[in-house]
Every structure is written in C-alpha cells, then in structure tokens.
Amino acid sequence: MNIRKTLATLGISALVGLSAAQAVAAGTIKIGSFLAVTGPAAFLGDPELKTLQMYIDEINTKGGVNGMQLELVHYDTGGKAKEAVGFAKRLIKKDRVDVIVGGSTSGSTLAVIPLVEKDRIPFISLAGSVKIIDPVKKWVFKVPHTDRMAAAKIFEDMKKRGIKRIALISGSGGFGKSGRSQVLALAPEQGIEVVSDESYGAKDTDMTAQLTKIRNTDAQAILCFGFGTGPAIVTKNVRQLGIELPLYQSHGVASKKFIELAGAAAEGVRLPASALLVADKLPASDPQKGLLLAYKQRFESKYGPVSTFGGHAYDGLMITVRAIERAGGTDKAKVRDEIEKTRGFIGTGGIFNMSPTDHLGLDLSAFKMLEIKHGDWTIVE
Amino acid sequence: MADQILQFLLTGITVGATYALVALGFAIIYNASDVVNFAQGEFVMIGAMSAVALSAGDGGLPMPVALLLAVLITVGVGVLLQRFAIAPARGASVVTTIIITIGASIFLRGVALLVWGKDIFALPAFSGDAPIHIGQATLLPQNLWVMGGAGLMVLGVHWFFGHTTIGKAVLACSCNRTAAHLVGINVGLMMLIAYGLSAFLGAMAGVLVAPITFTSYDAGVMLGLKGFAAAILGGMGNPMGAVAGGLLLGLIESLSAGLISSGYKDAIGFVILLLVLFFRPSGLFGRASVERV
C-alpha cells in the first residue's frame, strides 16, 4: 500500500515536472555547447564553461533575451574530436538547440564543421586554428585570434628589432604543428629566414638537445610555439644553456601559470596576447578597458585567476545574444545573417567587425605584444 | 661538435635517471609477484603533487617536511592499493592483476584531478637554479639530485634484495608463492612491503624530478610509459637492468634529438626497444625465462 502510494506520488510529480519543463521550453532559447572541460585541453574548456554559465545566469536574471530565457545544453568532449561529433549530432537532432557556441580545440571544431554546414545551424567556435574560417564557411564563425595572426604579430615585433634569422622550436601537438606551418608559410613574405626547425613531444621533460643544436646556428632569436609544460621547459633550458638570444613564445602560454612555471627564466620573454592579460595596464582611452576589467573582476571573484580562453566564451556568447536580439527571434538563417553583420562589437579578444568574407573580424591590433618583466606582463610599444 | 655531444650526453643521463627511477619501481613489484604495476606512474605523480600541495602557499610546510610527508602519503597509497585492490583478487591470474592495476591508475588519476584540479604545478629546485658549467655544456643542480637520488636508491634496492631476509623473502614469493608460504613466509605482508617500497621509489622519483619537469594530475601517464619501456629494455625484474634501460633510453632520445631529428626521437627510441626485444626477448640484462613442463 505504502509502496503503491509512493509510486503514485512519484508518477504525478514526474508528470507535473514534465509539463513544467515543457512550459519553460516554449519560451527559451537553447544554446548548445561542447567543450573540453576535462582532459588535456581542460584549461580551455573549464573557464569557457564557467564563463558561459555565469553570463547565461546573469542574462536570465535580467529578464533574458527578447523576453525569452536562455538555456545552456552542454557536453564535455574530454578534448576528443570524435566525441565532439557525437555530441554535436545530439545537440542538433535531439536537443534541437538554436545555436552552438563551443569547440574548445581546433580538432573538435574542424570535425564538427561538415555536420553544422549540412544541418544549417549557426556555430561560433572558440578554437584557434585559421582553417576554421579560411576558406569561409557559411554557418561557421570563430572568436579567438588565429595562429597566423600570432605569427604575424611576432614577425612585426622581430622586424622592429632588426631580427632576420630565427630558430623555431614547436610542440608536436595540434597547436604546435599548426603554429609551425603558419610560421613557415608566413616567414618568407615577411623577409624572415627560419634557420632551424626543431620540435619536442607534448610530455617531454628536457629540450636541451634541440636547443644545443639551435645554439650552434646563426639564429638571432628563438621562437617557441606550443602550450602546456613544453614552452616553460624550453624557457628554462634556454637560460640553463646560457643562450642570450631573444626568446619569443606564442599566445598559447598567455597565462600567469607560464610565469609561475618558468620562474626567473621567463624574464624578457616576449609573446603576443589578448589585452585581457594587461587590462589594468591599458590606457584609460582604450575602448576595451572597461569591459575587460569588468569581466576579469567578475570571473575572479567567483573562480580565481582569469584566462583569455574564458574570454573567448564571453565573446562568442555575447555576439550570439546580440544577433538573436537583432534578428528578433531564433530563426537560424536570420541569426546567422545577424552574426555576420556584427560590427564594432567590443569583446575581450578585440573589436569584432565581421563580414561575409571574414567570419572572425579581428585584426592585428587585437593582439598586444607583451614582455615579461619582474614576474609580470608589460606592454611593448 | 664535442661540446654538443657532451651536452647531449648530460641531457640523456638526466632524462635517463628519471626513467630509471620509475623503471626501478616496476622491477620491484614484478620481482615480488610477476605483475607489471601500471599504477607506477601514478605513484610518481602523487609524490610530486602532494609535495607541491603541502609546501605551497604561505601556510605551507618547510620543504624537507613536505617532501617527507609526500613520500609517506604515497607509500600509504601504495599499501592501500595492494590491500584493497590487489589482495582481494588473490587467486586471479597475473593478467587479471595487471588489468586491476590499469584500473587503479585511472582511478588514482581521477582522484588527483578532483583533489588538486587540472593545473600544472612546479616545485622549487632543492638547491637553486644556477647552472653548473662543464666545458661548454651545462646542467642544473637539480639534475645532480636526480642522478644522486637514483644512484642511492639503486644501491639500496640491490642491497635489500641481495642482503636482507625480508628482501630475499619477497623474492621467494615471486619464485614460488606456495613454497614460500610453506616455509613460513607471510606472503600477504611481503606483497604489502613490495607495493609500499615501489610506491616509495615512485614518490622519490616524483619529488626529485618535479622541479625540472613540473607536475600535473596526468603527469604519471608518460613517465609511467617511459619507465615501463626502460624496464623492458633492461630486462623486467632486474633492478640493475631497469636502471641501465632507463639511462640507455634517455641517451638514445637525447642523441637522436640532437644528431638526427627531434621529431623522430621517440620513434627511434621505440624502434631500438623493438629490436632489443626481437633479439633478446627478456631484455638486455634479463634472465631468460625457462618454462618447466
């Protein structure tokens, strides 16, 4: 008897719950996301998810978008491209989301593109590779700077210092490889010669062998392209070997963690990075300053040190929200058109001006060239 | 060129000493129970991560205390692992036990992820970062700590198995478990000792190399793999062979990175490993196994 009663209550409450959920669903905008929240790329996906949740909550408490509440449907890919495809399918077919903001790594984003194009759903990627938007795909956008821009920014700084011959050392992971090919492709047209091209494994613990080889070339600077522990070990090994050449790193290490890991060896290292890292050092006239400080303050009061990756999620989400506002609804084709018309949007990554031929909309000014001095970032002018 | 070679050799020995320490841990559990403990890399990680956690921040413990506690914690984990995961499967075959250790390694990694998060951490070097110059080549004081630590532990392990009753009892368990039991050896206790000792070696490796290689919840995967390769190369079950295998693997990697191609150094290392296994299936210094019928 008792059991029957419980079952009955459960059944009723389940029914009530279901209809309540349906009622909410009628007035919601579903934002789908697949991120590398765990696994080797967790440092990307983790702050991205936190940022999405934080701002979606905030938008909802302020009354939502066009009077509709936002609902986040997200899956953890663990950094695996294969998982990403499965989750993207589920987001589109089963969860029927209105737009996708996600894809922490270039691998998972590239794997999902054919699906997104086929099912015609607006997709804003949070991954770095230039291949995502070059050539332009109708439904695919991205917000982070590309590795090609990072290489261009580094070359710009090198030319100012009169550096013509460089040694390249890159990680064997996707980010390092993609960076390496961009550097090699861009160098000739910038008048820079790559005299040494070395690599290291993602989990390698010592790069002195490669750097000893580099020391015996006539390179005027060393450029390291990678993320994780590798670049920090390269930095320490360069100092250990007493190499005096200027050392450049990529935007892959643009976090306080790098300075912490490399310690004193990081002094004098230069790298291109988003303005978010130096928000408090920007001149008051900088249009991004207010937003950057607000995002930084909000993220740090809740979760700890801010990273540029969480910022990409902010940019992706806000561009989507603005586009839905302008489109006056969630019609996928209209939202896509409005995303493409994003102009003068001030995000954490820079000022976005998208167009039918440019689905990123950032230029080199979005990057700041930084130098590490006394264990902190300084802006190089 | 000679300077370059010297640097490659120094690098190889440093990296090799790290592999050797991990390989040594593999050898001990293999000696005691014929089981390859795939959670060995996780011991290294737990040692390093607990040392970082205990010594970090303003309220952190002084470095020597933190290191000691970190090693003790890891030994505790090793003993618990044996007691609650390996011992209950007493009657199981070696293969089953190996699979249990793989499961344990995934579990330990997961726990570390929950406890310490996904960040990468560095432990400060024991005696500074000023490089030591040998001709044109350099090495760090911490490299000497790794080499010295590895050397001491190899001698310790050699002495333990060759000259102590407990060490010989552990070996006896591996030779014939039933016979060991019949002559009055407490097999269960010997297994606990083997896992504890192996966790101790792992933790020592972890705290010694953490200032050079950094550490994170998944740092044990690659170190475990390389240590395993080193142990195979030298001959499973021979502590001296494990050390020789580690040094050899380190030297091969560094020389091929320096002289041939940095992109192919891991491939070259593994090709040589395969060749060794092809011509000497029991490793460079392993006893040939005899199957009695």
Side-chain angles (χ1 to χ4, degrees):
Chain A
M1 178 62 202
N2 215 349
I3 293 172
R4 197 176 292 170
K5 207 171 173 185
T6 329
L7 280 179
T9 332
L10 270 179
I12 291 168
S13 51
L15 273 178
V16 173
L18 208 65
S19 51
Q22 270 166 348
V24 175
T28 56
I29 298 166
K30 278 191 161 187
I31 297 188
S33 191
F34 58 96
L35 300 166
V37 184
T38 58
F43 68 98
L44 302 170
D46 186 58
E48 285 164 358
L49 178 61
K50 284 171 175 163
T51 303
L52 287 181
Q53 285 168 334
M54 193 166 76
Y55 278 93
I56 286 178
D57 281 350
E58 188 195 299
I59 292 169
N60 283 340
T61 48
K62 281 187 183 162
V65 180
N66 299 345
M68 289 190 284
Q69 293 279 295
L70 296 180
E71 185 195 342
L72 178 67
V73 186
H74 73 88
Y75 297 103
D76 177 11
T77 62
K80 298 184 194 94
K82 225 171 152 184
E83 301 273 315
V85 175
F87 288 136
K89 251 183 213 151
R90 200 186 300 178
L91 285 172
I92 297 169
K93 304 272 192 245
K94 189 162 159 282
D95 302 317
R96 301 189 167 276
V97 296
D98 298 303
V99 51
I100 299 178
V101 178
S104 309
T105 62
S106 297
S108 61
T109 294
L110 291 170
V112 161
I113 285 177
L115 205 69
V116 171
E117 287 289 297
K118 193 180 104 236
D119 288 317
R120 299 160 178 270
I121 181 161
F123 172 38
I124 300 191
S125 165
L126 310 180
S129 173
V130 70
K131 286 184 199 148
I132 297 166
I133 47 144
D134 182 22
V136 174
K137 289 140 199 104
K138 190 172 178 206
W139 297 86
V140 182
F141 301 84
K142 77 178 221 107
V143 283
H145 320 101
T146 64
D147 32 18
R148 186 181 294 172
M149 290 167 68
K153 189 78 185 180
I154 292 170
F155 287 154
E156 193 184 274
D157 191 63
M158 284 176 168
K159 282 195 288 190
K160 272 188 213 152
R161 292 166 103 182
I163 294 167
K164 290 212 154 51
R165 291 181 308 279
I166 63 162
L168 174 66
I169 176 164
S170 52
S172 63
F175 181 81
K177 267 190 189 151
S178 166
R180 172 179 173 272
S181 58
Q182 296 305 328
V183 167
L184 293 180
L186 211 58
E189 62 186 77
Q190 300 274 341
I192 284 177
E193 188 192 351
V194 180
V195 292
S196 178
D197 176 18
E198 296 292 328
S199 73
Y200 60 85
K203 290 277 171 187
D204 279 4
T205 56
D206 192 305
M207 286 64 156
T208 45
Q210 291 93 318
L211 291 166
T212 303
K213 258 169 107 175
I214 288 177
R215 186 170 62 181
N216 287 30
T217 64
D218 60 348
Q220 296 166 302
I222 301 174
L223 167 56
C224 174
F225 225 107
F227 70 76
T229 53
I233 295 176
V234 166
T235 308
K236 283 186 124 181
N237 287 165
V238 165
R239 300 297 176 237
Q240 178 198 332
L241 291 172
I243 299 174
E244 304 282 346
L245 302 175
L247 176 60
Y248 285 84
Q249 293 281 354
S250 73
H251 55 312
V253 297
S255 78
K256 266 279 154 69
K257 201 77 209 172
F258 171 72
I259 302 183
E260 188 192 317
L261 291 178
E267 288 296 305
V269 169
R270 286 192 176 190
L271 69 156
S274 135
L276 183 58
L277 284 184
V278 284
D280 41 1
K281 297 191 182 72
L282 290 172
S285 58
D286 193 293
Q288 275 183 281
K289 182 162 183 160
L291 164 80
L292 293 174
L293 284 176
Y295 172 72
K296 189 173 145 92
Q297 192 264 331
R298 184 162 300 162
F299 192 91
E300 291 188 343
S301 66
K302 218 169 164 189
Y303 301 115
V306 75
S307 82
T308 52
F309 312 116
H312 299 322
Y314 171 89
D315 296 347
L317 177 68
M318 290 307 171
I319 288 176
T320 310
V321 166
R322 300 277 156 86
I324 293 173
E325 273 170 5
R326 290 195 301 265
T330 55
D331 182 82
K332 293 191 178 68
K334 272 192 198 149
V335 172
R336 191 216 77 92
D337 292 347
E338 288 303 330
I339 293 176
E340 197 168 72
K341 284 183 201 150
T342 298
R343 296 204 65 80
F345 169 75
I346 301 173
T348 65
I351 298 165
F352 291 84
N353 291 303
M354 294 199 184
S355 72
T357 54
D358 183 2
H359 277 191
L360 166 62
L362 289 176
D363 58 24
L364 276 192
S365 67
F367 263 134
K368 305 274 179 247
M369 183 50 80
L370 306 184
E371 183 171 326
I372 298 168
K373 275 188 191 153
H374 311 297
D376 202 2
W377 314 108
T378 52
I379 303 172
V380 179
E381 283 315 327
Chain B
M1 193 64 193
D3 293 330
Q4 278 198 52
I5 301 279
L6 181 61
Q7 182 67 53
F8 297 153
L9 292 178
L10 283 176
T11 302
I13 293 173
T14 313
V15 178
T18 313
Y19 297 162
L21 271 173
V22 186
L24 208 53
F26 275 106
I28 288 176
I29 290 183
Y30 185 80
N31 257 347
S33 58
D34 282 346
V35 166
V36 179
N37 170 31
F38 277 104
Q40 191 62 35
E42 271 54 49
F43 290 158
V44 180
M45 176 272 291
I46 291 173
M49 291 295 272
S50 355
V52 170
L54 291 168
S55 64
D58 297 328
L61 300 166
M63 193 49 83
V65 185
L67 296 185
L68 188 71
L69 274 177
V71 173
L72 286 179
I73 289 173
T74 315
V75 171
V77 170
V79 169
L80 289 176
L81 172 71
Q82 203 283 330
R83 180 68 191 76
F84 292 107
I86 313 289
R90 219 180 339 252
S93 67
V94 167
V95 175
T96 314
T97 320
I98 292 178
I99 293 171
I100 293 176
T101 68
I102 295 177
S105 79
I106 297 171
F107 170 74
L108 290 175
R109 221 176 302 146
V111 172
L113 173 65
L114 289 177
V115 176
W116 291 304
K118 300 157 195 157
D119 265 338
I120 305 162
F121 299 96
L123 203 61
F126 298 175
S127 39
D129 276 323
I132 301 165
H133 292 265
I134 302 172
Q136 283 273 28
T138 55
L139 83 176
L140 295 173
Q142 192 65 29
N143 295 351
L144 293 178
W145 277 98
V146 175
M147 292 178 209
L152 270 183
M153 266 169 287
V154 173
L155 293 179
V157 166
H158 192 65
W159 175 78
F160 176 75
F161 280 119
H163 300 275
T164 66
T165 319
I166 299 181
K168 287 177 179 170
V170 172
L171 273 185
C173 296
S174 138
C175 295
N176 191 326
R177 198 175 271 239
T178 322
H181 185 65
L182 283 175
V183 296
I185 293 172
N186 184 342
V187 176
L189 182 66
M190 292 308 130
M191 289 300 131
L192 275 184
I193 291 177
Y195 275 84
L197 184 60
S198 161
F200 169 79
L201 289 171
M204 289 301 282
V207 298
L208 285 173
V209 303
I212 305 176
T213 64
F214 310 126
T215 186
S216 60
Y217 78 98
D218 59 352
V221 181
M222 201 57 187
L223 278 174
L225 197 64
K226 288 285 172 69
F228 177 61
I232 295 274
L233 188 62
M236 222 31 179
N238 180 343
M240 291 301 152
V243 173
L247 290 178
L248 198 58
L249 192 61
L251 284 171
I252 292 169
E253 280 187 10
S254 123
L255 285 172
S256 32
L259 299 176
I260 307 170
S261 152
S262 46
Y264 289 106
K265 71 179 172 47
D266 285 341
I268 294 170
F270 283 112
V271 164
I272 292 182
L273 175 66
L274 285 177
L275 284 178
V276 167
L277 288 181
F278 191 68
F279 292 107
R280 284 190 64 93
S282 50
L284 287 176
F285 303 92
R287 296 158 285 163
S289 61
V290 181
E291 195 82 16
R292 252 171 256 148
V293 252

